[in-house]
Amino acid sequence: MPVDPIRYVTKVDLTKPGDAQAQVHNRWHPDVPVTDTIKPGEVVKAECLDWTGNQIGNNDSADDLRHVDLTRIHYLSGPYHIEGAEPGDALVVEIRDVQPLERQPWGYCGVFHKSNGGGFLDRFYPECAKAIFDFHGIHATSRHIPHVKFTGLVHPGIMGTAPSAEILREWNARESKLKEEIQDQHDTPVAQLPEAKGANCGSASGELKEKIASEGARTIPGRPEQGGNCDIKNLSRGSKCYFPVYVDGAKFSIGDLHFSQGDGEISFCGAIEMAGVVTLSFSIIKDGIKKLALKSPIFVPGDVQNHYGPSRYLTFEGFSVDETGKQHHLCATTAYRQACIRVIEYLRRYGYNDYQIYLLLSCAPIEGNLAGVVDIPNVCTTLGLPIDVFEFDISPEAEIKEQNMGNCAFVSQASHPVHFDFDSVK
């Protein structure tokens, strides 16, 4: 019997900026108008813009990345009204497939400038850099990071249900309080509070648009009540996710698709960002928040996972002692940063510069783990680098052959540091 084609609930335009498209939005608010209605059990497709809404081009300059407007990001497809979903329920979302758009078979990874977003290692690498990746079926390669090829674990970086008005007020209150308490201790923002500039409120207009723009929560960061921007690389095809429902119809949204990502997405624009299409289906567990004790989303990973075997990872350790020798007490952030630095020092011996390695650790399928959090004062983290993504042998026993690795894309007229001397800061 003939099979009906899968219905598209969102189509995007790759020729227009995200803020010119009413079928997407970039603020969390209970009043963002729904874009379509989906029945439980129905399989649908949703196209998604890349997270910047077409601000980045396939070129050999990082000028576009340097000047990204971070108020105009994370254009999410939806929100979708799921028939029968009511506050107190759990929304079950099945990710049936995620693919790049055929009309744009490439993506990008970037290091943001320290003054515009920064990244996990911006104290060492404050400049802006970019790498373009081409997609070859399930694989990705880059002219900016040569001799590397790996399999994509394609996934959405953002999924979530709409907050209730009460939850939205809680988000804004606690993040405002955090900013009041510690912003003077940091030279970059500690929280992204509501900002009307750059807000895309979907099809809302007039007073409703102004209300959403002034109150709506930014899509950075992820939040415990509804998930959001969590960038979990294992939420790939076949995964099943359980979200709390706070408003009628759930108002589910999705976006920020990644072809591949390393644990931590350390450079901030750290995955291979792409425009793509996701295939979804939904079901509802009535009174699911109570039945599942669901205070934060939970998920079951699909059976499409990285194919690199456990013995094919070169694993580096990091501890909560920073590059100056300062001891930090049970600080996992310091420990993971040190693990990243160990990899940079190791791989630069083959001819890569530090920015190329920084980008690679952001988007290749590295495995980051907490190894120990109980032995005071040091947390131990590990970073597993898959050996097989390289076209040459990087194992400790192999002969080191330094090669000309070219360069990633930098900003015009910017300085292009090759290596940071970590020993110089001690």
Side-chain angles (χ1 to χ4, degrees), residues 313-370:
Y313 283 85
L314 182 59
T315 299
F316 298 78
E317 296 181 0
F319 298 89
S320 44
V321 178
D322 70 20
E323 63 286 345
T324 70
K326 180 181 178 180
Q327 177 75 63
H328 297 259
H329 180 254
L330 296 181
C331 181
T333 298
T334 298
Y336 198 56
R337 185 177 286 121
Q338 293 305 304
C340 294
I341 290 172
R342 300 291 85 80
V343 182
I344 290 173
E345 292 171 327
Y346 188 89
L347 288 182
R348 64 167 56 144
R349 303 174 307 156
Y350 299 98
Y352 293 115
N353 67 51
D354 288 14
Y355 276 89
Q356 289 174 306
I357 305 168
Y358 189 6
L359 288 166
L360 180 63
L361 293 182
S362 299
C363 66
I366 66 169
E367 293 285 334
N369 289 286
L370 278 173

Side-chain angles (χ1 to χ4, degrees), residues 28-30 87 161-171 245-247:
W28 293 114
H29 195 285
T161 50
S164 64
E166 293 76 17
I167 288 174
L168 178 62
R169 285 194 291 269
E170 168 64 19
W171 289 354
V245 174
Y246 303 109
V247 300

Side-chain angles (χ1 to χ4, degrees), residues 20-305:
Q21 303 189 45
Q23 73 276 29
V24 299
H25 67 100
N26 68 353
R27 297 293 190 271
W28 293 114
H29 195 285
D31 297 332
V32 176
V34 300
T35 59
D36 212 321
T37 297
I38 302 171
K39 297 179 182 295
E42 181 184 10
V43 179
V44 298
K45 287 183 177 289
E47 288 188 351
C48 300
L49 295 167
D50 83 279
W51 79 298
T52 69
N54 299 325
Q55 294 187 60
I56 306 302
N58 186 347
N59 52 51
D60 297 322
S61 169
D63 289 358
D64 48 8
L65 200 73
R66 174 66 178 86
H67 300 293
V68 164
D69 182 348
L70 292 180
T71 66
R72 299 169 53 236
I73 56 168
H74 284 162
Y75 294 97
L76 307 180
S77 296
Y80 306 118
H81 179 94
I82 312 302
E83 284 192 1
E86 300 174 304
D89 293 343
L91 181 68
V92 186
V93 182
E94 185 175 346
I95 304 173
R96 300 206 169 198
D97 197 11
V98 191
Q99 297 290 341
L101 291 180
E102 290 184 1
R103 59 189 187 274
Q104 188 164 295
W106 58 271
Y108 62 91
C109 177
V111 175
F112 268 49
H113 194 279
K114 187 173 182 177
S115 65
N116 190 32
F120 195 52
L121 302 177
D122 61 10
R123 69 178 69 173
F124 315 115
Y125 308 110
E127 299 294 339
C128 187
K130 182 176 79 176
I132 298 294
F133 285 84
D134 295 308
F135 305 143
H136 314 279
I138 65 173
H139 295 116
T141 61
S142 175
R143 63 185 181 268
H144 295 124
I145 310 175
H147 303 296
V148 169
K149 179 180 181 180
F150 50 86
T151 304
L153 189 56
V154 190
H155 62 279
I158 299 178
M159 292 189 291
T161 50
S164 64
E166 293 76 17
I167 288 174
L168 178 62
R169 285 194 291 269
E170 168 64 19
W171 289 354
N172 290 336
R174 73 189 183 205
E175 290 169 25
S176 294
K177 183 179 180 182
L178 178 71
K179 193 162 188 175
E180 291 172 4
E181 291 176 344
I182 68 169
Q183 183 59 74
D184 61 353
Q185 303 171 32
H186 300 266
D187 57 3
T188 56
V190 299
Q192 298 289 350
L193 303 182
E195 170 63 72
K197 179 179 181 292
N200 183 325
C201 306
S203 61
S205 60
E207 293 183 0
L208 178 59
K209 181 178 180 179
E210 293 178 3
K211 175 182 172 67
I212 295 170
S214 63
E215 299 176 352
R218 301 289 298 278
T219 51
I220 295 175
R223 297 176 176 91
E225 293 84 354
Q226 52 97 250
N229 185 28
C230 294
D231 297 311
I232 301 170
K233 78 176 194 302
N234 300 94
L235 269 176
S236 189
R237 292 169 289 171
S239 296
K240 188 176 288 187
C241 315
Y242 301 78
F243 292 93
V245 174
Y246 303 109
V247 300
D248 286 336
K251 287 193 170 181
F252 175 81
S253 301
I254 188 168
D256 186 26
L257 303 188
H258 300 161
F259 188 85
S260 178
Q261 181 200 299
D263 284 333
E265 198 186 10
I266 62 173
S267 75
F268 181 50
C269 184
I272 300 181
E273 311 285 349
M274 70 175 198
V277 58
V278 57
T279 306
L280 301 163
S281 64
F282 301 86
S283 59
I284 299 166
I285 299 176
K286 301 305 293 182
D287 199 25
I289 290 180
K290 181 178 180 180
K291 289 179 179 177
L292 304 179
L294 193 63
K295 294 184 178 180
S296 296
I298 58 179
F299 72 93
V300 178
D303 54 8
V304 177
Q305 296 295 321

